[in-house]
């Protein structure tokens, strides 16, 4: 009898996991693909030369690649589009850019709630606790945001360094 209830629990878990996976596949995946297509079309309309010049400009400056570009990506393109933005960068900068993006997701939600909406739940919980104790929320949000941009810049550069070391080993 216990074996049957265990089997029933496993099947219920698998059904709920598959339902969640299908929901994600139906909602997020099409948005990501559409944003990638829209970004590709926009960049093609702008022109290959201008797109490559922009990528070279961002690839030359680590501050732009890992500090400013992720912020702009999250603010302008939101969750699915910001992840697709890295394909205009040089190959060596892509892993660091993705690392910088993930570092900034939660902190940007403190000042801009629409960036990554699920992250807003954590920030609202923190602000509720701060308000109960009469502490200022805005100062913490700004410090949190500036610290996150600095950390994303550092993490992006470290990730690029690790990526270049690993790829150089493979070429030997």
């Amino acid at each position: 009898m216990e074996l049957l209830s265990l089997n029933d629990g496993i099947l219920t878990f698998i059904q709920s996991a598959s339902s969640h996976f299908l929901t994600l596949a139906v909602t997020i995946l099409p948005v990501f693909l559409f944003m990638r297509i829209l970004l590709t079309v926009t960049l093609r309309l702008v022109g290959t030369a201008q797109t490559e010049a922009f990528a070279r400009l961002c690839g030359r400056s680590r501050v732009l690649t890992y500090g400013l570009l992720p912020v702009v990506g999250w603010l302008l393109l939101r969750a699915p589009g910001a992840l697709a933005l890295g394909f205009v960068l040089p190959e060596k900068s892509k892993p660091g850019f993705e690392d910088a993006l993930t570092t900034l997701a939660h902190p940007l939600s403190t000042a801009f709630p629409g960036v990554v909406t699920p992250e807003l739940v954590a920030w609202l919980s923190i602000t509720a606790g701060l308000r109960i104790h009469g502490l200022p929320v805005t100062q913490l949000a700004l410090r949190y945001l500036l610290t996150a941009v600095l950390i994303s810049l550092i993490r992006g550069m470290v990730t690029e360094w690790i990526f270049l070391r690993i790829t150089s080993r493979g070429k030997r």
Side-chain angles (χ1 to χ4, degrees):
M1 196 64 173
E2 292 174 17
L3 188 59
L4 290 176
S5 80
L6 178 65
N7 188 29
D8 186 45
I10 291 172
L11 286 176
T12 304
F13 173 75
I14 291 172
Q15 287 172 344
S16 67
S18 67
S19 171
H20 181 69
F21 175 75
L22 287 175
T23 301
L24 289 176
V26 170
T27 57
I28 292 177
L29 190 59
V31 172
F32 177 77
L33 290 174
F34 177 73
M35 290 299 291
R36 178 69 188 251
I37 291 168
L38 185 65
L39 190 59
T40 302
V41 168
T42 303
L43 293 174
R44 292 244 171 111
L45 288 175
V46 167
T48 306
Q50 287 84 358
T51 303
E52 289 175 358
F54 177 72
R56 277 193 304 275
L57 174 72
C58 288
R60 246 188 328 222
S61 170
R62 290 184 174 139
V63 173
L64 286 176
T65 303
Y66 307 126
L68 183 65
L69 195 60
V71 173
V72 171
W74 279 125
L75 293 179
L76 297 180
L77 300 174
R78 305 284 190 237
L83 298 170
L85 185 61
F87 88 96
V88 300
L89 295 172
E91 204 60 39
K92 70 176 183 129
S93 301
K94 289 178 182 180
F97 176 74
E98 294 298 325
D99 193 5
L101 270 178
T102 56
T103 303
L104 280 173
H106 179 75
L108 276 176
S109 297
T110 63
F112 307 99
V115 171
V116 182
T117 309
E119 296 286 346
L120 187 59
V121 174
W123 175 247
L124 290 177
S125 301
I126 293 168
T127 58
L130 289 173
R131 287 192 177 125
I132 287 172
H133 294 291
L135 298 171
V137 175
T138 307
Q139 290 177 358
L140 178 65
L142 290 175
R143 288 178 184 153
Y144 194 35
L145 189 60
L146 292 174
T147 304
V149 170
L150 179 65
I151 289 173
S152 73
L153 180 63
I154 293 168
R155 282 183 61 157
M157 289 190 289
V158 169
T159 303
E160 179 184 324
W161 179 77
I162 291 169
F163 176 75
L164 290 175
R165 295 229 8 183
I166 290 171
T167 55
S168 69
R169 285 183 187 170
K171 291 179 183 177
R172 290 182 202 172

